[in-house]
Amino acid sequence: MPDDASEREVPRAGARASDPPAASGAGARPRRAWLVLAALLVLFSLLRLWKLELDPPGLVVPGYSGQAHFRDEAAKAHEARNYAKWQRWSLSEVDEYGFWRAQSPAWVWGEYLWFRSFGVGLLQARMFVVVQTIVALALLMWLAMIRHGLPAALATGLLLGLNWAYLVYSRLALMEGALICWLIVATVALSQLERQPRQAGRWSMLAAGAMLIACTIKQTGLLVVPAFSVALCLLGLRAAGVVAGLDDADAPWRARLMARLRQREARVTLVAVGTLGLALALLVFSPEYQQRLAFNAVHFTAAGDQSVLGRAAQTLARGFFSARLQRMFLLLAPWIMWLATLELVRVVVLALRDRRARKRGEPRPEPRGLLEGRADPIDLWMLAWAIFALLANLASPHRAIRFQLVMLPPAAWLAGAVIGRAWLHRWPSPSWRRVVRGSLVILALLGITLTAVRFVTWTRNAEASTAWIGDELRELIGEREAVVVGEFAAQAVFETDYRHFYVRPNQFNFTPEILYELGITHLVSEGEDDFVEELLQDAVPELLLGRRRLGYVGFRGRQLAVWELASPERRAEVEAWMAGEAEREELSRKAKRGRASKEQRAKASKRRRMERSEAQCLPEPLPEPEAVPMTKLPAPRLRGQPARGRPSAPSLPR
């Protein structure tokens, strides 16, 4: 077996002797180039460590919504915090928030080990991600240096390290920073597999292991596993051909494949791919993991009652013409996205030229102009990574920055390759070269200035409420055991020894039985807008009886009220007192109703008497006598005339 030095000199397949060292990655690098990269890495580290306790800006990039950058840090560390403090993943048998250990075991266990080593706190949680971010930037610049030269390494580092969205999120205790780190570790292993083919087993296993860790940090890693598996297999077959000295370009593809499969380098690579697939299969077939995967798929695509795949396809079809794509190219990472697209066009043109030459039986056309250089294997892998991440984000209706961060490293790599090629290109004249290089320097200075102004403005105006809120809460509650809930309670208790449970309507810990079993002692509430207090008012209003407000704590411009809930005995006393009050109020209401009824009856009786009295009185004024019509009397009868209708009586003699 040759030594390591001889292995490093194995040329990459497809590299030409005429290629410059910057493009092929061979040759010694000047020491000052590494010093420049080291200085740049120190700058990136200072930007992420300076005033690490500060709250992130409320609006990171215009046009993007979401509260994950100040709400999710404590949520992602919930189980690791529990295990580091109390050696239990869940602090109650009825707690339903076992959310991250099932789907992100590498993240939870890694953060737990970090807490055990350095303590539980906001700065410790953020440092866990910052360290991985610095490692990722260092590896990415080193990889660009050895494959494309110093200009590409500088451009890649500046484009990613100073991107405002990535800078803000890589200072926070969120999963995206760790996910990107391990994806880059897997990429470095792919590169080393291609550069040191005789050590294919070592680098194949490292690549597969890093990808497995990435997928078990955040399920977003699953999106690039198909492309990664293809890249790992192809690089393993290429390594087998290089080590065996196979020169079978004219042989049928099946013969070439079988010849390489007989080599140890190809077999160990396939074993690494199979191991990765088996580990992910065991994870995916777990019922609990499937439940989380289904939940995240519905959440990511906003499918609701629709099919996840149907909803994703529908959203993806509209995504190419949506405002999200415009924001990616104009707001999130304009230079990165446009230059990466330019590199994509270049790779497509090269592939079409080679394909046409093969169909015509002609030799591969010599590269010229800006099309110099063959497609680098790592460039192709980065291109696949960027395309898969872009399509996944276009299939989601969310405008959350954290979903789109996974696109930035491969896009920055491709953009850096374009800049490095333009910097090293043999332009027709020195004037052209000066113009191109001067333009690139001006653009770099503009980007650095813009990020510097944003950073200074933010650090001057920001506060550290997330770091202070725990001290304020401890002053109000005191040194005692407490169980605190509330919409922002996780941030409040993070650095304290108080216990916390997540309560969310219609998701977890929202039924009356569970709320009683959690043993809640304190509530941190924003008021009517706090959905936890609203849930308690609706589900268990009796739990809030007799509560006492201890004071207020500040969090991101909000004043959160801290309530101490009454003990069961105190609630019983309050309930008894309230029952007595209710009984007294009921008796008072009955007495009032009786008096009102008696008054109404008296009024009705008086009214009836007045009506009878009025009916018995003569009308006023009385009519005048002459105005009263007189009754007609019958006409007088004549004497001796008999009355009408009667027989006349006989007259008597005188």
Side-chain angles (χ1 to χ4, degrees), residues 55 463-470 472-473 476 492 552-562:
D55 298 333
E463 60 179 5
S465 65
T466 309
W468 299 335
I469 189 173
E472 297 178 359
L473 185 69
L476 294 176
Y552 293 90
V553 294
F555 179 67
R556 297 192 61 84
R558 297 172 171 87
Q559 287 296 314
L560 307 178
V562 180

Side-chain angles (χ1 to χ4, degrees), residues 78-98:
H78 177 73
E79 290 162 291
R81 173 182 180 267
N82 288 347
Y83 206 72
K85 282 184 172 291
W86 296 284
Q87 288 72 53
R88 296 174 58 189
W89 296 114
S90 180
L91 303 181
S92 174
E93 297 295 334
V94 299
D95 183 17
E96 297 177 323
Y97 189 76

